[in-house]
Amino acid sequence: MIHGVGVDLVHLARFDRFARDHGRRLSDLFSPDERAAFRSRRALAGAWAMKEATLKAIGGLSGWDVNWREIGIRPGAVRLTGAVARHAKSLGVSRLDVSTATMKDAIVATVVATGP
Amino acid sequence: MSNALTVPAATSPEVFEKVRGCFVEALGVEPEEVTLKAKVIDDLGAESLDFLDIAYRLEQGFKIKIPRGDIKQKSQEGLGAEAWEKDGLLTEKALTKIREVMPEVDPASVKTGMRAKDIPKLFTVETFYNMVVKLQADKAALPK
């Protein structure tokens, strides 16, 4: 059954400004593996959109409280760890399907959370 | 003992102006929009990335570390998981604790039907101002 659907739109200019101003803090949000997999700013903005969409699809957690690195993004896939994984499991979420749509100045990510 | 994240002191204009500057830079809003009572999401239009941007600017500007999830943790103190949240909704006990932890927020806006993920919607500029003042006081109290 579908547990939740999360959609997030990231404006590339906004993400670029954040990355420019807080470049050293990107490691708070992305693991070394993610930085290696999403090398360009556009790709990293897409990974951020996927993290946000995942949080919305699972539900129940706020972006202020979450450890963003526990929402691990690989190209086309999401892997949860830590408290986020425990929360998702407690809600019965066992699968996350991701898709993205890229525009000139923005990226939209959609995540569907499903479970038995 | 109250576990409110506030320090009972008059607003410092210097600190507030610096906090306001962080909001202006992070959100691209006009300075006059950044009042103590302005709601960070509803009035200033902040999203998750903006919250991080604001927090990082405050940390850099005041040389402090803002603990994420502090308000949630403090509002959970003394309550078991079931007493805090039931069927995804915050319990009345949890709402009472949140009102205690966030006295700067209009108590009427902490209402039945809220979920844990809605807590940041309560944040005002004063919430961040209070965090800064509290963390500065904590820092000053540390032995040199």
Side-chain angles (χ1 to χ4, degrees):
Chain A
M1 66 176 257
I2 293 176
H3 174 83
V5 178
V7 180
D8 192 69
L9 182 148
V10 171
H11 288 281
L12 294 173
R14 176 66 185 101
F15 188 83
D16 274 354
R17 189 162 64 84
F18 179 87
R20 184 196 67 210
D21 292 349
H22 307 296
R24 281 188 292 182
R25 305 299 294 269
L26 288 175
S27 59
D28 292 355
L29 314 179
F30 299 100
S31 69
D33 285 349
E34 289 173 315
R35 297 291 298 276
F38 302 98
R39 287 180 178 275
S40 70
R41 285 276 174 81
R42 175 177 280 271
L44 203 59
W48 176 252
M50 284 191 260
K51 284 177 187 265
E52 290 256 33
T54 299
L55 197 66
K56 292 173 183 173
I58 297 168
L61 295 173
S62 83
W64 179 250
D65 300 315
V66 78
N67 175 353
W68 287 103
R69 284 181 57 156
E70 291 181 350
I71 303 173
I73 305 296
R74 289 176 294 174
V78 181
R79 181 172 178 270
L80 306 179
T81 56
V84 177
R86 288 193 294 277
H87 175 74
K89 190 178 175 187
S90 75
L91 295 175
V93 174
S94 58
R95 179 176 169 152
L96 295 160
D97 290 297
V98 188
S99 68
T100 55
T102 304
M103 291 162 274
K104 184 181 173 188
D105 57 359
I107 294 180
V108 178
T110 305
V111 174
V112 180
T114 53
Chain B
M1 185 181 78
S2 168
N3 61 357
L5 293 172
T6 56
V7 171
T11 306
S12 156
E14 293 80 15
V15 173
F16 175 65
E17 283 307 319
K18 208 165 162 182
V19 169
R20 169 183 268 169
C22 291
F23 275 82
V24 169
E25 284 179 18
L27 303 177
V29 293
E30 295 299 323
E32 53 272 23
E33 293 179 74
V34 186
T35 63
L36 278 174
K37 294 298 175 194
K39 289 186 173 180
V40 179
I41 292 177
D42 289 346
D43 295 335
L44 301 178
E47 299 174 350
S48 290
L49 202 62
D50 299 319
F51 269 71
L52 292 167
D53 196 338
I54 293 161
Y56 290 163
R57 287 177 195 280
L58 292 172
E59 288 179 352
Q60 194 173 2
F62 291 98
K63 306 209 179 320
I64 54 175
K65 176 73 180 164
I66 295 176
R68 316 288 186 263
D70 202 29
I71 288 173
K72 183 178 175 184
Q73 278 174 17
K74 284 193 178 295
S75 65
Q76 286 176 319
E77 282 174 7
L79 297 180
E82 286 188 14
W84 197 72
E85 195 174 24
K86 192 165 186 217
D87 299 329
L89 301 177
L90 295 171
T91 65
E92 288 305 315
K93 281 183 182 174
L95 299 177
T96 301
K97 289 276 279 186
I98 290 169
R99 290 186 195 104
E100 183 187 326
V101 170
M102 304 181 74
E104 75 279 7
V105 169
D106 175 8
S109 64
V110 185
K111 52 193 174 193
T112 304
M114 269 186 66
R115 297 171 184 271
K117 72 179 177 64
D118 298 328
I119 292 175
K121 287 185 184 167
L122 299 172
F123 282 32
T124 63
V125 172
E126 194 173 8
T127 305
F128 283 95
Y129 171 87
N130 288 340
M131 285 183 203
V132 167
V133 172
K134 169 78 166 58
L135 291 165
Q136 281 190 315
D138 290 348
K139 199 165 93 173
L142 286 174
K144 307 233 165 153

